[in-house]
mmCIF file of all heavy atoms in Angstrom:
data_model
loop_
_atom_site.group_PDB
_atom_site.id
_atom_site.type_symbol
_atom_site.label_atom_id
_atom_site.label_comp_id
_atom_site.label_asym_id
_atom_site.label_seq_id
_atom_site.Cartn_x
_atom_site.Cartn_y
_atom_site.Cartn_z
ATOM 1 N N ALA A 23 -80.100 -119.228 36.436
ATOM 2 C CA ALA A 23 -79.056 -120.255 36.427
ATOM 3 C C ALA A 23 -79.576 -121.654 36.454
ATOM 4 O O ALA A 23 -78.914 -122.611 36.072
ATOM 5 C CB ALA A 23 -78.087 -119.951 37.623
ATOM 6 N N ILE A 24 -80.864 -121.799 36.999
ATOM 7 C CA ILE A 24 -81.475 -123.059 37.244
ATOM 8 C C ILE A 24 -82.667 -123.268 36.324
ATOM 9 O O ILE A 24 -82.904 -124.439 35.790
ATOM 10 C CB ILE A 24 -81.839 -123.293 38.721
ATOM 11 C CG1 ILE A 24 -80.625 -122.941 39.628
ATOM 12 C CG2 ILE A 24 -82.327 -124.657 38.968
ATOM 13 C CD1 ILE A 24 -79.433 -123.850 39.422
ATOM 14 N N VAL A 25 -83.489 -122.243 36.195
ATOM 15 C CA VAL A 25 -84.772 -122.344 35.510
ATOM 16 C C VAL A 25 -84.869 -121.289 34.421
ATOM 17 O O VAL A 25 -84.366 -120.199 34.680
ATOM 18 C CB VAL A 25 -85.960 -122.180 36.497
ATOM 19 C CG1 VAL A 25 -87.294 -122.391 35.794
ATOM 20 C CG2 VAL A 25 -85.805 -123.131 37.707
ATOM 21 N N PRO A 26 -85.423 -121.587 33.255
ATOM 22 C CA PRO A 26 -85.447 -120.544 32.200
ATOM 23 C C PRO A 26 -85.968 -119.162 32.683
ATOM 24 O O PRO A 26 -86.968 -119.126 33.385
ATOM 25 C CB PRO A 26 -86.406 -121.170 31.157
ATOM 26 C CG PRO A 26 -86.116 -122.659 31.298
ATOM 27 C CD PRO A 26 -85.941 -122.868 32.805
ATOM 28 N N GLU A 27 -85.361 -118.174 32.273
ATOM 29 C CA GLU A 27 -85.514 -116.814 32.803
ATOM 30 C C GLU A 27 -86.962 -116.262 32.507
ATOM 31 O O GLU A 27 -87.628 -116.538 31.493
ATOM 32 C CB GLU A 27 -84.517 -115.833 32.212
ATOM 33 C CG GLU A 27 -84.664 -115.636 30.665
ATOM 34 C CD GLU A 27 -83.516 -114.799 30.128
ATOM 35 O OE1 GLU A 27 -82.402 -115.137 30.263
ATOM 36 O OE2 GLU A 27 -83.869 -113.797 29.582
ATOM 37 N N ASN A 28 -87.384 -115.415 33.446
ATOM 38 C CA ASN A 28 -88.612 -114.667 33.374
ATOM 39 C C ASN A 28 -89.848 -115.593 33.149
ATOM 40 O O ASN A 28 -90.863 -115.112 32.510
ATOM 41 C CB ASN A 28 -88.533 -113.627 32.267
ATOM 42 C CG ASN A 28 -87.731 -112.414 32.704
ATOM 43 O OD1 ASN A 28 -87.931 -111.881 33.811
ATOM 44 N ND2 ASN A 28 -86.842 -111.927 31.843
ATOM 45 N N THR A 29 -89.774 -116.817 33.659
ATOM 46 C CA THR A 29 -90.935 -117.711 33.468
ATOM 47 C C THR A 29 -91.606 -117.859 34.883
ATOM 48 O O THR A 29 -91.025 -117.542 35.902
ATOM 49 C CB THR A 29 -90.515 -119.098 33.046
ATOM 50 O OG1 THR A 29 -89.548 -119.679 34.016
ATOM 51 C CG2 THR A 29 -89.919 -119.101 31.713
ATOM 52 N N LEU A 30 -92.852 -118.337 34.810
ATOM 53 C CA LEU A 30 -93.519 -118.550 36.122
ATOM 54 C C LEU A 30 -92.785 -119.588 36.931
ATOM 55 O O LEU A 30 -92.758 -119.549 38.159
ATOM 56 C CB LEU A 30 -94.973 -118.965 35.886
ATOM 57 C CG LEU A 30 -95.875 -117.875 35.293
ATOM 58 C CD1 LEU A 30 -97.276 -118.449 35.055
ATOM 59 C CD2 LEU A 30 -95.906 -116.608 36.151
ATOM 60 N N ALA A 31 -92.226 -120.589 36.190
ATOM 61 C CA ALA A 31 -91.476 -121.641 36.858
ATOM 62 C C ALA A 31 -90.308 -121.059 37.606
ATOM 63 O O ALA A 31 -89.890 -121.521 38.688
ATOM 64 C CB ALA A 31 -91.022 -122.712 35.918
ATOM 65 N N ALA A 32 -89.628 -120.050 37.006
ATOM 66 C CA ALA A 32 -88.460 -119.444 37.593
ATOM 67 C C ALA A 32 -88.842 -118.684 38.882
ATOM 68 O O ALA A 32 -88.155 -118.682 39.880
ATOM 69 C CB ALA A 32 -87.772 -118.539 36.632
ATOM 70 N N MET A 33 -89.989 -117.930 38.770
ATOM 71 C CA MET A 33 -90.453 -117.241 39.933
ATOM 72 C C MET A 33 -90.874 -118.168 41.101
ATOM 73 O O MET A 33 -90.591 -117.945 42.268
ATOM 74 C CB MET A 33 -91.656 -116.396 39.512
ATOM 75 C CG MET A 33 -91.372 -115.359 38.409
ATOM 76 S SD MET A 33 -90.003 -114.207 38.840
ATOM 77 C CE MET A 33 -89.409 -113.796 37.197
ATOM 78 N N ASP A 34 -91.499 -119.289 40.723
ATOM 79 C CA ASP A 34 -91.916 -120.267 41.736
ATOM 80 C C ASP A 34 -90.659 -120.867 42.446
ATOM 81 O O ASP A 34 -90.666 -121.056 43.645
ATOM 82 C CB ASP A 34 -92.751 -121.334 41.093
ATOM 83 C CG ASP A 34 -93.304 -122.331 42.119
ATOM 84 O OD1 ASP A 34 -94.118 -121.908 42.991
ATOM 85 O OD2 ASP A 34 -92.939 -123.540 42.104
ATOM 86 N N TYR A 35 -89.664 -121.185 41.672
ATOM 87 C CA TYR A 35 -88.453 -121.775 42.190
ATOM 88 C C TYR A 35 -87.763 -120.762 43.145
ATOM 89 O O TYR A 35 -87.346 -121.092 44.229
ATOM 90 C CB TYR A 35 -87.483 -122.153 41.097
ATOM 91 C CG TYR A 35 -86.088 -122.511 41.557
ATOM 92 C CD1 TYR A 35 -85.843 -123.810 41.953
ATOM 93 C CD2 TYR A 35 -85.037 -121.577 41.657
ATOM 94 C CE1 TYR A 35 -84.509 -124.214 42.402
ATOM 95 C CE2 TYR A 35 -83.773 -121.932 42.114
ATOM 96 C CZ TYR A 35 -83.578 -123.198 42.501
ATOM 97 O OH TYR A 35 -82.378 -123.557 42.922
ATOM 98 N N ALA A 36 -87.755 -119.494 42.774
ATOM 99 C CA ALA A 36 -87.153 -118.443 43.575
ATOM 100 C C ALA A 36 -87.912 -118.297 44.922
ATOM 101 O O ALA A 36 -87.362 -118.139 45.959
ATOM 102 C CB ALA A 36 -87.152 -117.117 42.882
ATOM 103 N N LEU A 37 -89.221 -118.361 44.863
ATOM 104 C CA LEU A 37 -90.018 -118.351 46.060
ATOM 105 C C LEU A 37 -89.709 -119.559 46.944
ATOM 106 O O LEU A 37 -89.570 -119.468 48.224
ATOM 107 C CB LEU A 37 -91.550 -118.343 45.751
ATOM 108 C CG LEU A 37 -92.137 -117.088 45.112
ATOM 109 C CD1 LEU A 37 -93.538 -117.358 44.677
ATOM 110 C CD2 LEU A 37 -92.029 -115.940 46.037
ATOM 111 N N GLU A 38 -89.578 -120.720 46.316
ATOM 112 C CA GLU A 38 -89.265 -121.976 47.062
ATOM 113 C C GLU A 38 -88.003 -121.879 47.881
ATOM 114 O O GLU A 38 -87.877 -122.321 48.948
ATOM 115 C CB GLU A 38 -89.247 -123.094 46.070
ATOM 116 C CG GLU A 38 -88.973 -124.448 46.781
ATOM 117 C CD GLU A 38 -88.898 -125.636 45.758
ATOM 118 O OE1 GLU A 38 -89.093 -125.455 44.585
ATOM 119 O OE2 GLU A 38 -88.631 -126.779 46.204
ATOM 120 N N VAL A 39 -86.942 -121.250 47.252
ATOM 121 C CA VAL A 39 -85.668 -121.221 47.870
ATOM 122 C C VAL A 39 -85.575 -120.050 48.893
ATOM 123 O O VAL A 39 -84.615 -119.924 49.607
ATOM 124 C CB VAL A 39 -84.419 -121.180 46.890
ATOM 125 C CG1 VAL A 39 -84.507 -122.378 45.961
ATOM 126 C CG2 VAL A 39 -84.483 -119.859 46.061
ATOM 127 N N GLY A 40 -86.599 -119.153 48.915
ATOM 128 C CA GLY A 40 -86.658 -118.128 49.885
ATOM 129 C C GLY A 40 -86.059 -116.773 49.556
ATOM 130 O O GLY A 40 -85.522 -116.132 50.475
ATOM 131 N N VAL A 41 -86.154 -116.343 48.301
ATOM 132 C CA VAL A 41 -85.645 -115.034 47.943
ATOM 133 C C VAL A 41 -86.391 -113.902 48.652
ATOM 134 O O VAL A 41 -87.537 -114.098 49.104
ATOM 135 C CB VAL A 41 -85.702 -114.761 46.386
ATOM 136 C CG1 VAL A 41 -84.822 -115.720 45.660
ATOM 137 C CG2 VAL A 41 -87.158 -114.789 45.913
ATOM 138 N N ASP A 42 -85.740 -112.786 48.845
ATOM 139 C CA ASP A 42 -86.393 -111.614 49.393
ATOM 140 C C ASP A 42 -87.212 -110.888 48.288
ATOM 141 O O ASP A 42 -88.180 -110.335 48.564
ATOM 142 C CB ASP A 42 -85.326 -110.649 49.969
ATOM 143 C CG ASP A 42 -84.513 -111.288 51.087
ATOM 144 O OD1 ASP A 42 -85.141 -111.766 52.093
ATOM 145 O OD2 ASP A 42 -83.319 -111.396 50.941
ATOM 146 N N THR A 43 -86.644 -110.953 47.073
ATOM 147 C CA THR A 43 -87.204 -110.196 45.946
ATOM 148 C C THR A 43 -87.135 -110.990 44.597
ATOM 149 O O THR A 43 -86.135 -111.631 44.303
ATOM 150 C CB THR A 43 -86.388 -108.859 45.811
ATOM 151 O OG1 THR A 43 -86.466 -108.106 47.043
ATOM 152 C CG2 THR A 43 -87.010 -107.984 44.709
ATOM 153 N N LEU A 44 -88.264 -110.884 43.868
ATOM 154 C CA LEU A 44 -88.248 -111.410 42.512
ATOM 155 C C LEU A 44 -87.846 -110.278 41.562
ATOM 156 O O LEU A 44 -88.588 -109.321 41.482
ATOM 157 C CB LEU A 44 -89.672 -111.927 42.258
ATOM 158 C CG LEU A 44 -90.251 -113.096 43.060
ATOM 159 C CD1 LEU A 44 -91.682 -113.310 42.725
ATOM 160 C CD2 LEU A 44 -89.378 -114.312 42.859
ATOM 161 N N GLU A 45 -86.806 -110.463 40.916
ATOM 162 C CA GLU A 45 -86.389 -109.462 39.896
ATOM 163 C C GLU A 45 -86.858 -109.947 38.523
ATOM 164 O O GLU A 45 -86.653 -111.158 38.157
ATOM 165 C CB GLU A 45 -84.881 -109.302 39.908
ATOM 166 C CG GLU A 45 -84.301 -108.093 39.180
ATOM 167 C CD GLU A 45 -84.111 -108.357 37.679
ATOM 168 O OE1 GLU A 45 -84.159 -109.515 37.181
ATOM 169 O OE2 GLU A 45 -83.824 -107.335 36.982
ATOM 170 N N LEU A 46 -87.476 -109.016 37.736
ATOM 171 C CA LEU A 46 -88.003 -109.391 36.461
ATOM 172 C C LEU A 46 -88.061 -108.232 35.485
ATOM 173 O O LEU A 46 -87.981 -107.043 35.952
ATOM 174 C CB LEU A 46 -89.405 -110.025 36.656
ATOM 175 C CG LEU A 46 -90.408 -109.193 37.413
ATOM 176 C CD1 LEU A 46 -91.313 -108.429 36.421
ATOM 177 C CD2 LEU A 46 -91.270 -110.115 38.287
ATOM 178 N N ASP A 47 -88.155 -108.580 34.227
ATOM 179 C CA ASP A 47 -88.162 -107.541 33.117
ATOM 180 C C ASP A 47 -89.513 -107.579 32.521
ATOM 181 O O ASP A 47 -90.176 -108.564 32.306
ATOM 182 C CB ASP A 47 -87.104 -107.881 32.080
ATOM 183 C CG ASP A 47 -85.776 -108.135 32.652
ATOM 184 O OD1 ASP A 47 -85.131 -107.200 33.085
ATOM 185 O OD2 ASP A 47 -85.367 -109.340 32.571
ATOM 186 N N LEU A 48 -89.942 -106.319 32.046
ATOM 187 C CA LEU A 48 -91.260 -106.202 31.462
ATOM 188 C C LEU A 48 -91.206 -105.532 30.079
ATOM 189 O O LEU A 48 -90.531 -104.599 29.854
ATOM 190 C CB LEU A 48 -92.195 -105.391 32.327
ATOM 191 C CG LEU A 48 -92.771 -105.975 33.556
ATOM 192 C CD1 LEU A 48 -93.857 -104.947 34.096
ATOM 193 C CD2 LEU A 48 -93.438 -107.320 33.320
#
């Protein structure tokens, strides 16, 4: 919703806001 999906930037943002889990597709 905030950062382009499945990017390292999206994962970093999710870590910053304190998620419990990073959900991603492979």
Side-chain angles (χ1 to χ4, degrees):
I24 308 298
V25 186
E27 65 186 59
N28 282 316
T29 59
L30 292 179
M33 302 302 154
D34 185 65
Y35 172 86
L37 289 173
E38 182 182 357
V39 302
V41 296
D42 301 300
T43 302
L44 298 173
E45 193 275 351
L46 53 97
D47 310 289
L48 283 188

